[in-house]
Amino acid sequence: MVAHPVHYTYREYLALDEASNVKLEYLGGQIFAMAGGTPEHAALQARIPSLLYAQLRGGPCRVFAADLRIRVLATGLATYPDVTVVCGPRVSDLEDRNTIVNPTVLFEVLSASTEAYDRGEKFESYKQIASLRHYVLVAQDALRVEVWTRGDDDAWSLAASGAGNVAELPALGARLEVDELYRDVLT
């Protein structure tokens, strides 16, 4: 991301995001337009909630699509993950009731233009969310799901799953069968 000399307040960002026809991300006083995705990205972004919904129905966790903004209070990052899961009551940002600050699981579908950011700076910011138990990276060009899990010692560990495997999400009591996730996506 390239920073420009204008620094916006979070309130200014919220007003611009509300009026924008594209999703905007906010970090360090800067506002960035979020790039559109490929058909594969869009299909995976839709497929994840559909596979989780049946497993979470009736329980304390809710799945949200990419229109839900989350904010990392410790770093100021405000962004729209591809899929968000919140377990228990939703906690809204004090400055914007439509922004959630307590996600349990965040999913990002990787693309060539965002992969380094999603794995690096964005993940480092997400790690500051105390409620976050899993960060899931989903490749859009291969059958690969990476589940980062926060341990009781606050250390993060990685479990990667490919074709024929299952990605486990113990904090949700849920799982994603990789073959089912990618069914009819990479055609």
Side-chain angles (χ1 to χ4, degrees):
M1 289 196 265
V2 178
H4 30 108
V6 177
H7 281 20
Y8 296 92
T9 66
Y10 182 63
R11 289 206 180 276
E12 289 171 325
Y13 156 74
L14 290 173
L16 288 168
D17 193 38
E18 181 71 26
S20 179
N21 60 354
V22 297
K23 290 180 185 158
L24 301 175
E25 184 172 278
Y26 178 80
L27 180 61
Q30 301 297 300
I31 297 174
F32 307 93
M34 296 180 74
T38 64
E40 293 80 13
H41 186 283
L44 288 164
Q45 191 176 25
R47 192 96 165 127
I48 295 164
S50 70
L51 294 174
L52 289 176
Y53 178 77
Q55 297 178 67
L56 301 179
R57 183 178 46 224
C61 301
R62 299 288 175 267
V63 182
F64 297 90
D67 288 336
L68 180 66
R69 181 175 41 233
I70 65 110
R71 185 174 184 203
V72 182
L73 296 175
T75 66
L77 173 66
T79 190
Y80 294 87
D82 288 316
V83 177
T84 300
V85 179
V86 177
C87 297
R90 292 185 305 271
V91 177
S92 296
D93 181 14
L94 294 177
E95 295 185 60
D96 178 50
R97 67 180 182 82
N98 294 316
T99 301
I100 300 302
V101 297
N102 68 322
T104 305
V105 182
L106 296 173
F107 291 81
E108 296 288 359
V109 177
L110 300 173
S111 65
S113 64
T114 65
E115 183 170 357
Y117 175 58
D118 289 342
R119 289 182 181 283
E121 186 177 4
K122 185 179 268 188
F123 187 24
E124 289 304 313
S125 190
Y126 284 167
K127 287 177 182 178
Q128 304 305 308
I129 303 171
S131 62
L132 190 65
R133 308 309 331 142
H134 300 297
Y135 179 48
V136 184
L137 299 172
V138 179
Q140 70 171 328
D141 56 357
L143 279 73
R144 183 171 174 84
V145 177
E146 299 175 13
V147 178
W148 286 93
T149 300
R150 183 193 308 260
D152 292 338
D153 60 355
D154 211 36
W156 290 85
S157 61
L158 171 64
S161 302
N165 297 132
V166 174
E168 300 286 345
L169 300 165
L172 303 180
R175 48 194 280 152
L176 292 173
E177 292 183 23
V178 175
D179 293 345
E180 185 61 26
L181 174 63
Y182 286 91
R183 185 179 309 285
D184 300 326
V185 172
L186 302 179
T187 56

